[in-house]
Amino acid sequence: GLLLVALCWGFTNPFIKAGSTGVEQVSKRYAHEKWYIRLIHENLYLFTRWQYILPLAVNLSGSTVFYYTLGHSNLSMIVPITNSLTFAFTVLSGTLLGEKIGSQDTMLGIALVFIGVLLMVS
C-alpha cells in the first residue's frame, strides 16, 4: 500500500506541474480583476486541461489509498516511509521528463532514503 501511495504521489507531481503550464499567463491576463475572478479563471483553465486533470486524479487516488492504509498499518512508519519515497519518485519521474535533478548529492540522498526505508521495514 505505501509503495503504491508513494508512486501515485511521486510520479504525478512533475506531470501536474507540467500540466499547469500556462496558468501564469491566465493570472497575468486577469491581474487587474478582483482576486476571486482571477481565481475562477485560473481554475477554469486548469480543470479544462486533461494534462492537469489526469495526473491530479491519479494523485488523489493515492490519497485514498493512503487514508485506507492509515487504518491498517503502523502509523509511526507510514508517514516517513511514504513521504521519503514520494520525494524519491518525484525526483526520478522529473528526471525522466527532462528536469534537472540538481547534483550527485541529490542521487546520494535518494539512495540513503531507500536504505533508510529498508531499515525501517526490516
Side-chain angles (χ1 to χ4, degrees):
L2 297 179
L3 186 60
L4 178 62
V5 172
L7 283 169
C8 286
W9 285 350
F11 272 102
T12 57
N13 285 336
F15 289 99
I16 291 171
K17 179 182 174 185
S20 66
T21 302
V23 75
E24 299 86 10
Q25 285 77 21
V26 174
S27 296
K28 288 178 186 175
R29 189 178 315 137
Y30 293 96
H32 62 281
E33 299 286 342
K34 294 189 184 293
W35 67 270
Y36 56 87
I37 300 294
R38 186 173 57 248
L39 181 65
I40 289 169
H41 285 283
E42 290 169 351
N43 281 303
L44 283 173
Y45 175 80
L46 290 173
F47 289 110
T48 56
R49 292 177 49 86
W50 69 267
Q51 298 93 336
Y52 180 79
I53 292 295
L54 185 62
L56 180 65
V58 172
N59 188 291
L60 293 175
S61 66
S63 297
T64 304
V65 174
F66 179 73
Y67 286 114
Y68 174 79
T69 307
L70 284 175
H72 296 85
S73 299
N74 183 354
L75 189 60
S76 64
M77 289 179 47
I78 291 174
V79 175
I81 290 173
T82 305
N83 287 341
S84 59
L85 288 176
T86 297
F87 166 71
F89 290 138
T90 298
V91 171
L92 291 176
S93 63
T95 302
L96 294 174
L97 288 175
E99 294 180 4
K100 296 189 184 226
I101 58 169
S103 65
Q104 291 179 346
D105 291 341
T106 304
M107 295 310 289
L108 175 62
I110 291 173
L112 292 173
V113 164
F114 280 116
I115 291 169
V117 168
L118 289 174
L119 290 173
M120 285 184 72
V121 172
S122 63

